[in-house]
Amino acid sequence: MGEFQLIEWIRQQLDEDDPDLSLGIGDDAAVLNLPADRELVITTDTLNSEVHFNSETSPPDLGYKALAVSLSDLAAMGARPKWVLLSVSMPAEDRLWFEAFVRGFLELASNIGVTLIGGDTCSGVLSVTVTALGLVRPGQALTRTGARAGDLVVVSGHLGDAALALFEQQGGETRDEICFQALHRPVPRIALGLSLVGKATSCIDISDGLWADLGHIAQQSGCGAIIEVARLPAGSALYEQQESKRWQLQLTGGEDYELCFTIPPQQKSSLQELSTELEIELTVIGKIVAGRGVQCVRPNGQLVELEHRGYKHFEH
Ligand code: ADP
Ligand code: MG
């Protein structure tokens, strides 16, 4: 068994019915048949062992999540995902591990309808990189730069579940199943991203924590934001925590892979309709203001102060 048998095994798992793929896995590179009236949106993300996951992460969960985090970036751009590349570095050839890992990856790929068109398989430290390609109408990609004072700040789903699961895992505590799923099987909000095209003034996916990620929108749009922490959407496991811990997890925990976006206030009524249609909770948590930075306000009007505002590599 070697690299080439592993690649051949992957190829056998794929359905070959993508009319927009001129040449898939097996040559030196893939060839895509791009529609003339679309822009290509490309993103890549790496998950490293002991940084992004550890031995607690099962192979299929790792495969699933490696794809989910890249698709989440396409969702945040309002792109329709089309193709993905999968690069795997692993210390030793472990066929069972590899097949379980790829099955998790392909499970999500088939749910979303993206085609695996290539990648790389090599030996080294355990690390997974997924590159995802999607399409948008020209000039329609959702960016971080369009938020304006007066816009409402909205998030999808619940915040803090994944962070709570990670916290529990690190402390060896009992696990809440919903939080465990949120950490290991985040659902990329593709349909929501597509629906926000032409509606949202800015959008980002929450990977490093709401405070940091909304901070990117604020900074890149040249404005500030005010968040009312009492409005942050949470599930029952989060409500069992003390308020200060709940807010810390929800504001800075990261790994939510929900979308945070801004809409002009006149669009507020369309949120309910969208939420019903997509069966996704959409919560207005604050607004964009003139100024700089993101302020988080308690119900009594006091500002929330936290030790750190989100995950940053190279700062630990
Ligand atoms: P080269 O050495 O020319 O880069 P490789 O042997 O790395 O070729 O890859 C052969 C083919 O298999 C290419 O089409 C590549 O994209 C594909 N491939 C390699 N690894 C993977 C993988 N993990 N998932 C999907 N396709 C892969
Ligand atoms: Mg190669």
Side-chain angles (χ1 to χ4, degrees):
M1 273 307 301
E3 175 193 345
F4 300 113
Q5 278 97 331
L6 293 176
I7 296 170
E8 183 50 32
W9 180 82
I10 292 184
R11 228 156 67 86
Q12 287 164 7
Q13 309 309 305
L14 305 180
D15 313 322
E16 308 230 338
D17 61 352
D18 181 349
D20 300 326
L21 181 63
S22 304
L23 188 59
I25 294 175
D27 218 298
D28 291 311
V31 182
L32 306 175
N33 178 15
L34 293 177
D37 56 347
R38 291 290 185 277
E39 286 179 332
L40 187 61
V41 182
I42 310 181
T43 180
T44 195
D45 267 297
T46 295
L47 299 188
N48 284 333
S49 176
E50 303 308 329
V51 177
H52 301 93
F53 64 94
N54 57 29
S55 52
E56 301 257 344
T57 315
S58 76
D61 283 351
L62 179 61
Y64 175 102
K65 188 162 177 178
L67 178 56
V69 302
S70 282
L71 293 180
S72 177
D73 280 323
L74 290 186
M77 298 301 290
R80 183 178 297 286
K82 286 285 293 177
W83 302 287
V84 288
L85 295 116
L86 169 62
S87 294
V88 192
S89 157
M90 52 191 177
E93 192 193 306
D94 181 341
R95 177 93 193 219
L96 283 180
W97 183 94
F98 188 78
E99 290 188 3
F101 163 81
V102 172
R103 284 206 176 91
F105 180 97
L106 292 178
E107 181 191 327
L108 180 60
S110 124
N111 287 347
I112 302 286
V114 290
T115 312
L116 179 61
I117 60 167
D120 201 22
T121 308
C122 61
S123 58
V125 291
L126 185 56
S127 175
V128 181
T129 298
V130 175
T131 301
L133 298 85
L135 300 173
V136 287
R137 288 179 201 283
Q140 296 283 288
L142 299 172
T143 67
R144 301 174 176 187
T145 58
R148 296 293 172 259
D151 284 356
L152 303 174
V153 178
V154 187
V155 292
S156 62
H158 289 170
L159 300 182
D161 284 354
L164 181 59
L166 198 57
F167 181 84
E168 288 183 345
Q169 184 174 295
Q170 283 161 352
E173 289 175 45
T174 42
R175 289 164 176 177
D176 177 88
E177 183 54 28
I178 291 174
C179 295
F180 187 84
Q181 288 292 319
L183 177 62
H184 293 285
R185 298 252 162 177
V187 179
R189 300 301 195 186
I190 308 287
L192 177 58
L194 290 170
S195 301
L196 292 176
V197 170
K199 283 203 183 87
T201 50
S202 70
C203 186
I204 193 167
D205 71 318
I206 307 175
S207 50
D208 297 329
L210 174 70
W211 205 331
D213 288 321
L214 178 57
H216 296 312
I217 286 185
Q219 200 215 344
Q220 290 174 240
S221 298
C223 51
I226 296 183
I227 296 307
E228 294 176 47
V229 289
R231 294 191 185 211
L232 297 177
S236 54
L238 260 287
Y239 278 109
E240 284 164 21
Q241 310 298 317
Q242 285 183 337
E243 261 182 359
S244 59
K245 181 172 166 194
R246 165 155 55 98
W247 292 335
Q248 173 95 46
L249 291 169
Q250 293 196 284
L251 290 169
T252 71
E255 305 254 6
D256 296 300
Y257 298 104
E258 295 294 347
L259 295 187
C260 174
F261 57 94
T262 55
I263 53 163
Q266 350 24 308
Q267 295 259 6
K268 189 176 180 185
S269 56
S270 68
L271 283 179
Q272 185 54 51
E273 218 172 288
L274 192 57
S275 165
T276 309
E277 182 195 327
L278 300 178
E279 296 179 12
I280 299 176
E281 265 183 58
L282 296 175
T283 310
V284 175
I285 57 167
K287 62 178 186 228
I288 298 294
V289 294
R292 289 279 175 274
V294 178
Q295 296 196 313
C296 299
V297 187
R298 295 168 187 263
N300 64 9
Q302 276 184 341
L303 292 182
V304 176
E305 294 294 342
L306 297 174
E307 285 158 35
H308 69 96
R309 293 186 173 187
Y311 189 83
K312 286 189 194 144
H313 290 275
F314 309 115
E315 283 200 356
H316 290 259

